[in-house]
Amino acid sequence: MTSQERKNVKINPDIQNERRKCTFLIEDFAEFWNGGKEKLAEKRWREDYFLNDPQMKSEVPMEYLSHKEKYEEAIRKSTISFRKIRELRSQGKDGIDDYMALLSGNLGSGLTPDGNPFGLHYVMFLPTLMGQATPEQQAEWMGRAWACNIIGTYAQTELGHGTFIRGLETTATYDPKTQEFILNSPTLTSYKWWPGGLAHTANYAVVVAQLYTKGQNYGIFPFIVQLRDEETHMPMPGIKVGEIGAKLGMNTVNNGFLGFENVRIPRKNMLMKNGKVLEDGTFIKAPSSVLTYGTMMFVRVVIVRDMANYLSKAVTIAVRYSAVRRQSPINPEEREPQIIDHVTQQLKLFPQIAKSVVFRMTADHLWNLYNQVTTELDKGDLERLPELHGMACCLKAITTSDAAAAVEICRLACGGHGYMSCSSFPITYGLTTAACTYEGENTVLLLQTARYLMKSWASAKIGEPLAPTVAYLGRNYKSTVQGIRPKWEGSIPGIISAFQTCAAGKVKIAFDHVEKRKSEGISHENATNLTSIELAAAADAHGRSFLIQAGYESLQEVLKQVPPALGKVLQDLITLYAVDAALRALGDLLRFVSISEEDIQKLQTTLETLLTNIRPNAVGIVDGFDIPDGILQSALGAYDGNVYERIFAEAMKSPLNKEPVNKSFQLYMKPFLKSNL
Amino acid sequence: MTSQERKNVKINPDIQNERRKCTFLIEDFAEFWNGGKEKLAEKRWREDYFLNDPQMKSEVPMEYLSHKEKYEEAIRKSTISFRKIRELRSQGKDGIDDYMALLSGNLGSGLTPDGNPFGLHYVMFLPTLMGQATPEQQAEWMGRAWACNIIGTYAQTELGHGTFIRGLETTATYDPKTQEFILNSPTLTSYKWWPGGLAHTANYAVVVAQLYTKGQNYGIFPFIVQLRDEETHMPMPGIKVGEIGAKLGMNTVNNGFLGFENVRIPRKNMLMKNGKVLEDGTFIKAPSSVLTYGTMMFVRVVIVRDMANYLSKAVTIAVRYSAVRRQSPINPEEREPQIIDHVTQQLKLFPQIAKSVVFRMTADHLWNLYNQVTTELDKGDLERLPELHGMACCLKAITTSDAAAAVEICRLACGGHGYMSCSSFPITYGLTTAACTYEGENTVLLLQTARYLMKSWASAKIGEPLAPTVAYLGRNYKSTVQGIRPKWEGSIPGIISAFQTCAAGKVKIAFDHVEKRKSEGISHENATNLTSIELAAAADAHGRSFLIQAGYESLQEVLKQVPPALGKVLQDLITLYAVDAALRALGDLLRFVSISEEDIQKLQTTLETLLTNIRPNAVGIVDGFDIPDGILQSALGAYDGNVYERIFAEAMKSPLNKEPVNKSFQLYMKPFLKSNL
């Protein structure tokens, strides 16, 4: 809804009242959240430009279509939205923000709510060309790819291998006679499986395959393969391609499979920046291949940011609904209250608001770290790469699993109505939980962080200097080894310090248990597997201390820039995040920190006070996320709060409601009811 | 797959090997789990009878159909399955187990995986007639209803009111002139919303409405209303009926809405067992209305049992897949291991096996309690009713939310492939998480239990005797008040006792905080709301102590009956349940029990030992759940373990894969790719 439209609509009085009693200016929050007045204006212009184009309307809501129709509708809408980007470009008005908005986060999820079949063209195909093609190869491919004259995808994951990419089975064998690579899928499990857009959309792909030349395997490399004829879209000879079938969510991403039967591609189709094969078949390794790390890191930062966006959407819906829904009297003689007045409801929702803010701040923090490290990388300094990797891994794992759980908390807080597709929760959960698995399965990622922590602990042990994000391990080393439990201090810095103490304690336990097992004659690898529960727990604790810290440090910066009334609200939210985290981690705190029953009661009181503080501002805050109805697509969460009218209107769109009697009555039911057999 | 078919199929060697190395007889487990040799044989016969009827096969897997087609297919299959029940009945072979199996649990979910549109006819319409109709009314309605000549549903929940039923708005106003009730929907929010089968299936309904007679409101009562013409199925005059739209799951349940515009029904259509309106409009209250409690209680027992069933299905799929999937080397020089050998994977899966068993045992326990209490009720003894209510509420809340979380743990443990519909996880999650909301929202239920706990604590305070399930509050009263933390003892009885101590501690805190707030002048109701976080936590702790206890007590009985090898396995599972619960409740244990760091380390070691013990038996145990492939409907979880072949075969069923080029290429993509505008 545009601001003009907002003025003309009847607003639910309960939600109107919430907006009136807000203690801060909602527009101030919107500016803070969207990066300033100018960015906010740009964002609104962009949303209006894409969402309010009448071509973007679907005749029937997607949830009523068949799987095939959903895909066709998504292609229709995607081509329209990318034409609109071309239009912007032709006017010199397109920017990186436009692409990002379309491909990730909330605007993208508004345009193609169940996933974009062209997404991987931009998110993986183009970046891989940019990162791994030689200048000559870029000259050949980038122009057409950038103009969308060809559509590519990135085919890495196979039916049998996902996270462990060294296990990939697809082969690319060099034939010096014809100067071609021959691609093959030697087993069923070697079929590419999952790449977005692969099934019926892309006509090109970067295919990751085991390189063989002169009878030797050199590991995995990327190759450009044409999948379909550009005129007819028919699969090329030897290419077996199709879709992998229906899924929990993201059904319009068009995830596909791909098999090769002696598919020949020219030698120059191997992306050669990180290794090349000469005409005669000689393999030459590139001096350094750290640059491929960059893309992976970038994608993980984007994921953390996406989690903040999806969660902000879910909590907007749940908070607005909770301000309109009235149920279950608190006082029998009074009117049923808005359900947001039930304290248990506040405990469900407000920490999710806080989480949205902290995840966003953490994404920005990680982004800064990423930029620092890549600047150092360009100077040949690789020192902070493992640290960045360790942090990106555990933050991706924690934010995706927390966000998915939080979306479900928001949904369940809306009772049965949250279960309806028109709430938009089911599709939002599908998007969010998918991130727990893609780009590195969460447990595997935690264990990668743990590996870095084990190395850091070993360094701490011998007094070596530690990287900034693990410096606390050094500071805590001595007291942790001595089993000293530092005194609890309930401020946010105190909570951060306590979480770091817990993380150090858990790192120590995991480290000691690996060492103990090794001392019993168990190999390092087996000892690590046997200790993996505690290793994952250590990585989790490490990431959680960073999240609170990132929120707190960002807050200090933000407080300098925003009006005091908004500052107070943000302070409440960050404090709530920390206090809620502390109460959920009581087991750890009681083990590693000297916290008394009185301290715990005080924490609980602080929690309850914060809920009370946030209560009058809750609707204002989610309004400040500034997510338009066209993105929310939720009968429960619309700006006007006309929940019941909207639910009813959505139900009437069901094709089943177009006829009073469904044909199954005559076909099946009547013969059944009228007989006794 | 029948046992004969099993013999003729190529079994994946990894999974075959698992079955060989099992330390117990799988058939023994199957007999234990299914209630003995005879019940197991019956169950298998029943599954074969229903599942392997060729009419029950769908041409296209449901996930590819449109919403409307899904409904039509569900009606087709439902009429077939109930015709088959009629067939059994005509042979005198039907039993209550057949109906239960069809309507709840795993066989039902195999026949109509996304919900049964006739379900509420059996689960609510018939039982309500049995429980709330007078003998004359039963004579009029039961015959046709039982023969399925009419199909009913139960219309209680409204758009504006779910759990808080006293707030329902639909009115039934008595008109003595015509001796009719006039039904009306005075507001939009008074529309019935959610009842299964209501939309296009049922032609009758029990409608719960506010009774008005002689100008006075007497609260809510049930009325039989004809919704549709028996010949044409057209809605009756004044009836506005349709479906509420697509949902996260259960899309073939045909949940509907229903509005009334001066709908007149004869006086005798009011179900009069608990209150009646005489011809002149005089209202007469029935002596006692506790009997309606019975149905609600029964449904909650069924829900706990369903949770055990759904979870056993999810964990069967995840365990079998984890025995077949190989990924990520533990030792670089060895073959990639079965992922079930990663200890983190064991921690994800094995506690869910244990949970299935404990939930089943708890359902049986609750069922016994229910039968005891209803026997006492029949003798006019209402004493244990509040206790049963308190226990059923918190167990429904805990088992549904734990089961939903556990299904997702199983799904995520299968990585990306768990996200595919062909895994069967998405639909299983849809079924499971729905139970968190229906039949009483979980937080509301926890608060109902808490109310009972507060009363019990008050009784303990003055030394009154307490009901058996809360007797521990009395035993712990003194030490809790004195803040004494009893010594930790790591056996299962020790863990139960520790959980009871924690529950008592939390009950005390909640009680004290309510009292403190009241002493500050806050009303009882507001004090309760302000303390509701702690009240819910107390109820949660109470329920969890009961779950461990129910598992442990059942185990003692079972151990007397099963072979020792199986007994050992069950002992491991129940112990794992208790130890895992303890480690997750460390914060509570450290607060209320005297547990040392050494004790905690010992618990962790026990956990790891149990995982190692269960590892060789995991596949055998889930085989022992004896869920046939026709119910699992999972490419990842089939008995033969031919995971990749089955995933591929499922993908090929997608209608998108029937054509090499989708029409959207010519329609949308080609014009887009070929132009630069």
Side-chain angles (χ1 to χ4, degrees):
Chain A
M1 188 176 319
T2 62
S3 52
Q4 190 48 45
E5 284 167 333
R6 282 185 185 178
K7 282 181 201 141
N8 301 328
V9 140
K10 184 188 124 270
I11 306 280
N12 173 289
D14 278 332
I15 212 165
Q16 191 68 306
N17 188 37
E18 296 294 329
R19 287 173 183 137
R20 256 195 301 269
K21 71 186 180 191
C22 213
T23 65
F24 65 101
L25 285 178
I26 294 170
E27 192 67 8
D28 286 343
F29 194 106
E31 284 177 17
F32 146 71
W33 182 250
N34 287 286
K37 198 186 274 294
E38 204 175 313
K39 287 257 183 199
L40 174 60
E42 267 174 36
K43 180 200 86 104
R44 285 177 178 164
W45 181 88
R46 185 188 306 122
E47 287 168 351
D48 183 53
Y49 175 71
F50 284 103
L51 291 168
N52 294 333
D53 187 323
Q55 301 178 88
M56 293 306 289
K57 290 264 173 299
S58 294
E59 261 179 73
V60 177
M62 205 181 48
E63 54 264 36
Y64 299 111
L65 304 181
S66 73
H67 183 73
K68 187 157 168 277
E69 291 164 338
K70 284 179 193 171
Y71 169 67
E72 289 156 0
E73 179 64 359
I75 288 287
R76 188 185 72 78
K77 289 171 84 173
S78 297
T79 52
I80 292 167
S81 52
F82 287 105
R83 271 179 200 272
K84 291 178 75 76
I85 280 257
R86 272 189 191 157
E87 173 73 27
L88 289 184
R89 195 186 325 155
S90 73
Q91 302 166 10
K93 284 205 287 192
D94 64 324
I96 177 76
D97 284 356
D98 296 309
Y99 292 94
M100 286 300 292
L102 237 62
L103 295 163
S104 119
N106 281 335
L107 178 56
S109 82
L111 294 171
T112 45
D114 216 11
N116 190 326
F118 294 155
L120 248 52
H121 175 71
Y122 287 95
V123 176
M124 293 296 300
F125 185 70
L126 280 166
T128 306
L129 290 183
M130 289 193 267
Q132 305 201 44
T134 61
E136 304 79 51
Q137 290 177 317
Q138 294 197 8
E140 182 176 350
W141 295 100
M142 284 296 289
R144 297 184 71 215
W146 188 238
C148 285
N149 299 135
I150 61 174
I151 292 288
T153 183
Y154 181 83
Q156 176 175 298
T157 298
E158 295 174 354
L159 191 47
H161 283 88
T163 301
F164 180 66
I165 58 172
R166 273 178 294 147
L168 295 176
E169 299 176 87
T170 302
T171 57
T173 309
Y174 186 63
D175 177 358
K177 274 176 282 178
T178 60
Q179 300 199 13
E180 289 171 323
F181 290 101
I182 311 162
L183 276 85
N184 270 299
S185 305
T187 60
L188 177 60
T189 48
S190 74
Y191 267 61
K192 296 296 173 187
W193 202 267
W194 279 110
L198 172 60
H200 296 88
T201 310
N203 49 15
Y204 284 82
V206 168
V207 172
V208 179
Q210 297 285 353
L211 168 65
Y212 284 86
T213 180
K214 296 190 167 179
Q216 216 182 321
N217 174 223
Y218 289 95
I220 53 172
F221 283 87
F223 302 83
I224 299 184
V225 183
Q226 181 173 358
L227 304 177
R228 290 175 177 271
D229 182 88
E230 290 188 28
E231 295 302 318
T232 65
H233 214 53
M234 285 294 287
M236 301 298 283
I239 296 281
K240 285 170 275 182
V241 67
E243 81 135 357
I244 66 168
K247 302 171 305 279
L248 170 63
M250 303 187 86
N251 274 299
T252 57
V253 167
N254 197 225
N255 302 87
F257 67 76
L258 174 61
F260 301 96
E261 198 180 325
N262 291 318
V263 172
R264 287 180 169 263
I265 56 168
R267 186 182 65 93
K268 66 182 176 48
N269 278 23
M270 173 178 173
L271 294 179
M272 299 219 188
K273 194 157 173 185
N274 296 312
K276 59 179 142 192
V277 172
L278 304 182
E279 290 185 4
D280 70 348
T282 307
F283 173 76
I284 295 178
K285 200 171 179 256
S288 153
S289 61
V290 287
L291 281 169
T292 53
Y293 253 124
T295 324
M296 201 164 70
M297 230 40 96
F298 171 72
V299 173
R300 284 182 192 157
V301 174
V302 171
I303 290 175
V304 176
R305 212 180 154 86
D306 278 350
M307 294 304 108
N309 286 331
Y310 297 152
L311 185 50
S312 66
K313 184 175 154 183
V315 80
T316 298
I317 298 166
V319 165
R320 287 184 180 161
Y321 176 74
S322 300
V324 173
R325 176 81 166 175
R326 288 178 170 272
Q327 188 93 169
S328 296
I330 293 171
N331 296 303
E333 68 281 5
E334 284 173 18
R335 186 180 170 198
E336 289 174 84
Q338 295 162 284
I339 58 174
I340 201 172
D341 283 327
H342 292 291
V343 173
T344 46
Q345 186 78 350
Q346 295 169 9
L347 183 67
K348 289 176 191 176
L349 302 184
F350 300 168
Q352 316 322 326
I353 302 180
K355 229 167 260 175
S356 307
V357 176
V358 169
F359 286 4
R360 166 69 71 84
M361 287 170 164
T362 303
D364 292 347
H365 231 78
L366 197 59
W367 181 238
N368 293 339
L369 189 60
Y370 166 72
N371 283 320
Q372 263 177 47
V373 174
T374 43
T375 313
E376 289 166 16
L377 269 181
D378 290 344
K379 297 180 201 149
D381 179 0
L382 310 183
E383 203 188 305
R384 292 195 72 185
L385 202 61
E387 182 196 10
L388 176 61
H389 179 69
M391 194 42 85
C393 284
C394 70
L395 290 179
K396 185 271 184 185
I398 295 170
T399 56
T400 54
S401 58
D402 279 12
V407 169
E408 285 301 80
I409 290 170
C410 291
R411 175 178 69 76
L412 287 161
C414 297
H417 296 345
Y419 194 76
M420 293 194 288
S421 301
C422 71
S423 72
S424 186
F425 284 120
I427 216 158
T428 305
Y429 181 62
L431 283 178
T432 314
T433 187
C436 294
T437 308
Y438 64 62
E439 293 296 323
E441 193 277 329
N442 280 351
T443 305
V444 176
L445 292 188
L446 286 177
L447 292 173
Q448 298 215 359
T449 300
R451 196 151 66 171
Y452 177 68
L453 294 174
M454 291 303 105
K455 282 189 192 149
S456 302
W457 191 251
S459 300
K461 199 171 176 177
I462 54 173
E464 276 180 1
L466 293 167
T469 58
V470 287
Y472 72 87
L473 291 178
R475 289 197 301 275
N476 281 274
Y477 184 81
K478 215 168 131 185
S479 57
T480 304
V481 169
Q482 292 171 344
I484 295 169
R485 289 157 61 225
K487 238 188 94 51
W488 166 257
E489 202 272 293
S491 66
I492 308 186
I495 293 175
I496 295 168
S497 158
F499 267 72
Q500 290 177 339
T501 302
C502 294
K506 291 186 160 190
V507 167
K508 176 192 178 295
I509 288 175
F511 187 92
D512 288 353
H513 286 191
V514 171
E515 291 305 310
K516 180 163 176 285
R517 287 180 161 123
K518 281 160 74 175
S519 76
E520 290 161 2
I522 298 174
S523 72
H524 175 74
E525 289 78 12
N526 282 335
T528 300
N529 182 36
L530 290 169
T531 315
S532 57
I533 294 171
E534 286 161 314
L535 285 163
D540 184 76
H542 171 65
R544 289 188 187 280
S545 73
F546 185 82
L547 278 157
I548 309 175
Q549 196 174 7
Y552 180 69
E553 287 178 6
S554 300
L555 177 67
Q556 304 317 308
E557 290 308 306
V558 170
L559 287 180
K560 295 175 196 159
Q561 297 155 24
V562 300
L566 175 57
K568 168 75 173 64
V569 171
L570 293 171
Q571 176 109 41
D572 279 347
L573 288 174
I574 304 301
T575 312
L576 176 62
Y577 181 81
V579 168
D580 181 57
L583 280 164
R584 287 174 198 283
L586 267 192
D588 292 345
L589 294 177
L590 283 157
R591 277 176 86 179
F592 300 109
V593 178
S594 179
I595 182 171
S596 68
E597 184 60 27
E598 202 183 323
D599 295 326
I600 295 171
Q601 301 277 355
K602 219 184 269 176
L603 260 181
Q604 178 70 24
T605 307
T606 310
L607 175 80
E608 291 169 7
T609 307
L610 287 164
L611 296 179
T612 306
N613 290 353
I614 293 168
R615 165 67 189 87
N617 288 324
V619 168
I621 298 169
V622 301
D623 280 358
F625 289 146
D626 204 65
I627 310 173
D629 287 351
I631 287 175
L632 288 175
Q633 295 185 12
S634 170
L636 309 192
Y639 183 83
D640 63 19
N642 295 320
V643 166
Y644 298 113
E645 293 81 354
R646 285 176 177 273
I647 291 178
F648 205 90
E650 285 303 314
M652 295 319 287
K653 294 180 187 165
S654 166
L656 269 170
N657 285 334
K658 302 298 177 197
E659 306 155 325
V661 177
N662 180 266
K663 70 178 182 192
S664 61
F665 175 71
Q666 294 295 341
L667 277 173
Y668 312 118
M669 266 187 66
K670 197 171 178 183
F672 169 67
L673 298 184
K674 291 288 174 182
S675 94
N676 282 320
L677 267 181
Chain B
M1 188 174 321
T2 63
S3 52
Q4 189 49 44
E5 284 167 331
R6 282 186 184 178
K7 280 180 202 142
N8 299 330
V9 141
K10 186 188 125 269
I11 306 279
N12 172 289
D14 278 332
I15 211 165
Q16 191 68 305
N17 188 37
E18 295 295 328
R19 287 173 183 137
R20 254 195 303 269
K21 72 187 180 192
C22 214
T23 63
F24 65 100
L25 284 177
I26 293 170
E27 192 67 8
D28 287 343
F29 193 106
E31 284 177 15
F32 147 71
W33 183 250
N34 287 286
K37 199 187 273 296
E38 204 174 312
K39 286 257 183 199
L40 175 61
E42 267 174 36
K43 180 200 86 106
R44 286 177 178 164
W45 182 88
R46 184 186 308 121
E47 287 169 349
D48 184 52
Y49 175 70
F50 284 103
L51 291 168
N52 295 333
D53 186 324
Q55 301 178 89
M56 293 304 289
K57 290 264 173 299
S58 294
E59 261 178 72
V60 177
M62 203 181 48
E63 55 263 35
Y64 298 111
L65 304 181
S66 72
H67 183 72
K68 188 158 169 274
E69 291 164 339
K70 284 179 194 172
Y71 169 67
E72 289 156 359
E73 178 65 0
I75 288 288
R76 188 185 72 80
K77 288 170 84 171
S78 297
T79 51
I80 293 168
S81 52
F82 287 105
R83 271 179 200 273
K84 291 178 75 77
I85 280 254
R86 273 188 190 157
E87 173 73 29
L88 289 183
R89 193 184 329 154
S90 73
Q91 302 166 13
K93 283 205 287 192
D94 65 325
I96 177 75
D97 285 355
D98 295 310
Y99 292 94
M100 286 299 292
L102 236 61
L103 295 163
S104 120
N106 281 336
L107 178 55
S109 82
L111 294 171
T112 43
D114 216 10
N116 190 326
F118 293 156
L120 247 54
H121 176 72
Y122 287 95
V123 176
M124 293 297 299
F125 185 70
L126 280 166
T128 306
L129 290 182
M130 289 193 266
Q132 304 201 45
T134 61
E136 304 78 53
Q137 290 177 317
Q138 293 198 8
E140 181 178 351
W141 295 101
M142 284 297 290
R144 298 184 69 216
W146 187 237
C148 285
N149 299 134
I150 61 173
I151 292 288
T153 183
Y154 181 83
Q156 176 175 298
T157 298
E158 296 174 355
L159 190 48
H161 283 89
T163 300
F164 180 66
I165 59 172
R166 274 178 294 146
L168 295 175
E169 298 176 86
T170 302
T171 57
T173 308
Y174 185 65
D175 177 359
K177 275 175 282 178
T178 59
Q179 300 198 12
E180 288 171 323
F181 290 100
I182 311 163
L183 277 84
N184 272 299
S185 305
T187 58
L188 177 61
T189 48
S190 74
Y191 268 62
K192 296 295 174 187
W193 202 267
W194 279 110
L198 172 61
H200 296 87
T201 311
N203 48 15
Y204 284 82
V206 168
V207 172
V208 179
Q210 297 286 354
L211 168 64
Y212 284 85
T213 179
K214 295 190 167 178
Q216 216 183 321
N217 173 222
Y218 289 94
I220 53 172
F221 283 88
F223 301 83
I224 300 184
V225 183
Q226 182 174 358
L227 305 177
R228 289 174 177 273
D229 182 89
E230 290 188 28
E231 295 301 317
T232 65
H233 213 53
M234 283 295 286
M236 301 298 283
I239 296 281
K240 284 168 276 182
V241 68
E243 81 136 356
I244 66 167
K247 301 170 307 277
L248 172 63
M250 304 187 85
N251 274 299
T252 59
V253 167
N254 198 224
N255 302 88
F257 67 78
L258 173 61
F260 301 97
E261 198 181 324
N262 292 317
V263 172
R264 287 180 167 265
I265 57 169
R267 185 181 66 91
K268 64 180 176 49
N269 277 25
M270 174 180 173
L271 294 180
M272 299 221 190
K273 195 156 174 188
N274 295 312
K276 61 179 139 190
V277 172
L278 303 183
E279 289 185 5
D280 71 349
T282 307
F283 173 76
I284 295 178
K285 201 172 178 259
S288 152
S289 61
V290 288
L291 281 169
T292 53
Y293 254 124
T295 323
M296 200 165 70
M297 231 40 98
F298 171 73
V299 173
R300 285 183 191 156
V301 174
V302 171
I303 290 175
V304 177
R305 212 181 154 87
D306 278 351
M307 294 304 108
N309 287 332
Y310 297 152
L311 186 49
S312 66
K313 184 176 154 185
V315 79
T316 299
I317 297 166
V319 165
R320 287 184 182 160
Y321 176 73
S322 301
V324 173
R325 176 81 167 176
R326 288 177 171 272
Q327 187 93 167
S328 298
I330 293 171
N331 296 305
E333 68 281 4
E334 285 173 17
R335 187 181 169 198
E336 288 174 86
Q338 296 162 283
I339 58 174
I340 201 172
D341 283 327
H342 291 291
V343 173
T344 45
Q345 186 78 350
Q346 296 169 9
L347 183 67
K348 288 176 191 176
L349 302 183
F350 300 168
Q352 315 323 325
I353 302 180
K355 227 167 263 176
S356 307
V357 176
V358 169
F359 286 5
R360 167 70 69 86
M361 288 171 163
T362 303
D364 293 346
H365 231 77
L366 196 58
W367 182 237
N368 293 339
L369 190 60
Y370 167 73
N371 282 321
Q372 262 178 47
V373 174
T374 45
T375 313
E376 290 166 14
L377 270 182
D378 290 344
K379 297 179 202 150
D381 180 358
L382 311 183
E383 202 187 307
R384 291 195 73 185
L385 202 60
E387 182 197 8
L388 176 61
H389 179 69
M391 195 43 86
C393 285
C394 69
L395 289 178
K396 185 272 184 185
I398 295 170
T399 57
T400 54
S401 59
D402 279 12
V407 169
E408 286 300 81
I409 290 170
C410 290
R411 175 177 69 77
L412 287 161
C414 297
H417 295 345
Y419 194 76
M420 293 194 287
S421 301
C422 71
S423 71
S424 187
F425 283 120
I427 216 157
T428 306
Y429 180 63
L431 282 178
T432 314
T433 187
C436 294
T437 309
Y438 62 62
E439 293 297 324
E441 193 278 329
N442 280 350
T443 304
V444 176
L445 293 187
L446 286 177
L447 293 173
Q448 299 216 358
T449 300
R451 196 152 67 170
Y452 178 67
L453 294 174
M454 291 303 104
K455 282 188 191 148
S456 303
W457 191 252
S459 301
K461 199 171 174 178
I462 53 173
E464 276 179 1
L466 292 167
T469 57
V470 286
Y472 72 88
L473 291 177
R475 289 198 302 276
N476 281 274
Y477 184 81
K478 216 168 129 187
S479 56
T480 304
V481 168
Q482 293 172 343
I484 294 170
R485 288 156 64 223
K487 238 188 91 56
W488 166 257
E489 201 272 290
S491 66
I492 308 186
I495 293 175
I496 294 167
S497 156
F499 266 72
Q500 290 177 340
T501 302
C502 294
K506 290 185 161 192
V507 167
K508 176 192 178 294
I509 288 175
F511 187 90
D512 288 353
H513 286 190
V514 172
E515 292 305 310
K516 180 163 176 285
R517 286 182 161 121
K518 282 160 73 176
S519 75
E520 291 161 1
I522 298 174
S523 72
H524 176 74
E525 290 78 13
N526 282 335
T528 301
N529 181 37
L530 290 169
T531 316
S532 56
I533 294 171
E534 287 161 313
L535 285 163
D540 185 76
H542 171 67
R544 291 188 186 280
S545 73
F546 185 83
L547 279 158
I548 308 176
Q549 195 173 8
Y552 180 70
E553 287 177 6
S554 300
L555 176 67
Q556 305 316 308
E557 290 308 305
V558 170
L559 287 180
K560 295 175 195 157
Q561 297 155 24
V562 300
L566 175 57
K568 168 74 173 66
V569 171
L570 293 171
Q571 176 107 42
D572 279 346
L573 288 174
I574 305 300
T575 313
L576 176 63
Y577 181 80
V579 168
D580 181 56
L583 280 164
R584 285 174 200 284
L586 268 192
D588 292 346
L589 296 176
L590 283 158
R591 278 176 84 178
F592 300 111
V593 178
S594 179
I595 182 170
S596 68
E597 184 61 27
E598 203 183 321
D599 295 327
I600 296 172
Q601 300 278 353
K602 219 185 268 175
L603 260 180
Q604 178 69 24
T605 308
T606 310
L607 174 80
E608 290 169 7
T609 307
L610 287 164
L611 297 180
T612 307
N613 289 355
I614 293 167
R615 166 66 190 86
N617 289 325
V619 168
I621 297 169
V622 301
D623 280 358
F625 289 145
D626 205 63
I627 310 172
D629 287 352
I631 287 174
L632 288 175
Q633 296 184 11
S634 170
L636 309 191
Y639 184 83
D640 63 19
N642 294 322
V643 168
Y644 298 113
E645 293 82 353
R646 285 177 177 272
I647 291 177
F648 205 89
E650 285 303 316
M652 296 318 287
K653 293 179 187 165
S654 166
L656 269 171
N657 285 334
K658 303 297 176 197
E659 305 154 323
V661 177
N662 178 267
K663 70 177 182 194
S664 61
F665 176 71
Q666 293 296 341
L667 277 173
Y668 312 118
M669 266 186 67
K670 197 169 177 187
F672 170 66
L673 298 184
K674 290 290 175 183
S675 93
N676 283 317
L677 266 183

